[in-house]
Amino acid sequence: MAAQGRSTALARASVAGRVVLAAGGGYGVAALATALLSLTLPMARSEAVATATLLSFAVMAGIVVLVFATRTLLRALLIVAGTALVLGALLWLAMGGSAP
């Protein structure tokens, strides 16, 4: 009986972790993608910002699906963190590659 309680608690913790990762990681990746696209899309600045903002909803939804579709929470965390790292590096390069 105790083993079943532990596995239930572990499953609930995994779902809670995925919810937190989907919300926080999805927001972070969407924000980085929005900033990067706003700077790099080849159109007027106001149109680039509007387009990037609209695309951020798709990015957020994609991250949420990815987090819940991966086999383990650790793999989802690594994918989201890697994506954020790549987007952050590209954003840094797009801004000129210098510290503020």
Side-chain angles (χ1 to χ4, degrees):
M1 190 72 150
Q4 183 183 10
R6 270 188 247 132
S7 66
T8 302
L10 187 60
R12 288 183 183 193
S14 177
V15 171
R18 287 176 191 266
V19 168
V20 170
L21 180 61
Y27 179 82
V29 169
L32 287 169
T34 301
L36 179 62
L37 289 171
S38 294
L39 293 174
T40 58
L41 285 174
M43 53 184 70
R45 179 59 56 102
S46 60
E47 292 176 5
V49 170
T51 303
T53 302
L54 288 172
L55 288 173
S56 73
F57 292 105
V59 170
M60 175 81 171
I63 292 294
V64 170
V65 168
L66 181 135
V67 166
F68 283 96
T70 53
R71 200 166 191 80
T72 65
L73 178 58
L74 179 61
R75 183 176 291 172
L77 176 64
L78 292 174
I79 292 170
V80 171
T83 303
L85 187 65
V86 169
L87 287 173
L90 290 174
L91 179 60
W92 181 71
L93 289 173
M95 293 177 64
S98 62

